[in-house]
Amino acid sequence: MRMNSFKTVGWIAGALLGLGAPVGSLLFETIVFGNMNFRGMAQKMSDHSYYYVYMTLLTPLAFGIFGAYLGSLNDKIRAQKRSLESMVGILETQSMTDDVTGLYNHRHLIEKKEQEVERSKRHNHVLSGMMVDVDNFKEINECYGHLTADFILREMALVLNESIRKIDIVGRYGGDEFAV
């Protein structure tokens, strides 16, 4: 068992809480019945030894098992949460990027363009854009196939990515068209 798991913590906390049962039982009887001397408590424990053995051994065990069960449920929830957070990150990336080039896709490119237009208006800055088209792409695709065409698109994306500043935005607009 890992110490950083809630299952372990639940087991320990449950067992400690279970140990409170026999102590609480003795205190309760002492307060309610006014039996404040230790000799009377020792006699009571001796007379009801099975009860106190049960309270001392089995109650912490039962509480510990229940705590471990609750802790294991918490561990599963934490693992599922981490998995979901990871999947959300992957899905966010996939929703923004083009599968072939790894650049921003058309939809995300338009969102970024709108943000940049608003920012240029707000700061009264000049904004420029550029459309790039791969010449004769349709013929290349028909003559050499999709694998070669995809390779050319990836190479074009690489050239564009290496040619821009870090603050610039580049994406695949569609087909053989790119926008910067």
Side-chain angles (χ1 to χ4, degrees), residues 5 10 13 18-20 30 40 49-50 89-90 139 149-151 157 162:
S5 80
L19 284 175
T30 301
S49 60
Y50 291 114
I90 291 168
E139 289 82 15
D150 287 350
F151 175 77
E162 290 176 349

Side-chain angles (χ1 to χ4, degrees), residues 5-157:
S5 80
F6 279 102
K7 183 177 181 179
T8 304
V9 171
W11 174 260
I12 293 168
L16 290 175
L17 286 172
L19 284 175
V23 173
S25 176
L26 283 174
L27 288 175
F28 179 77
E29 286 185 32
T30 301
I31 292 169
V32 170
F33 299 117
N35 189 6
M36 293 299 238
N37 65 31
F38 288 110
R39 187 179 298 167
M41 286 184 0
Q43 183 62 42
K44 186 83 162 164
M45 288 174 63
S46 175
D47 291 345
H48 303 287
S49 60
Y50 291 114
Y51 170 76
Y52 287 103
V53 167
Y54 161 78
M55 291 290 282
T56 304
L57 298 177
L58 295 181
T59 303
L61 177 66
F63 276 52
I65 290 170
F66 184 68
Y69 172 71
L70 292 179
S72 69
L73 290 178
N74 198 336
D75 288 338
K76 287 178 185 177
I77 290 169
R78 286 175 55 198
Q80 288 175 344
K81 182 181 177 200
R82 282 191 302 269
S83 176
L84 285 173
E85 287 170 348
S86 173
M87 290 301 297
V88 165
I90 291 168
L91 290 173
E92 282 177 349
T93 300
Q94 287 178 346
S95 73
M96 295 184 320
T97 57
D98 175 62
D99 291 337
V100 176
T101 63
L103 298 176
Y104 287 138
N105 62 21
H106 180 89
R107 184 178 46 78
H108 192 69
L109 189 62
I110 298 302
E111 289 174 13
K112 291 299 249 178
K113 178 208 53 122
E114 290 170 0
Q115 290 173 356
E116 290 300 316
V117 167
E118 289 302 314
R119 184 164 53 179
S120 71
K121 287 179 185 177
R122 186 173 56 247
H123 296 292
N124 200 24
H125 289 154
V126 176
L127 178 66
S128 60
M130 176 174 62
M131 292 295 292
V132 178
D133 178 89
V134 178
D135 289 338
N136 304 318
F137 186 75
K138 185 177 178 186
E139 289 82 15
I140 293 169
N141 197 7
E142 289 173 357
C143 285
Y144 300 103
H146 295 297
L147 293 177
T148 301
D150 287 350
F151 175 77
I152 290 171
L153 291 174
R154 281 191 295 276
E155 288 298 309
M156 187 67 183

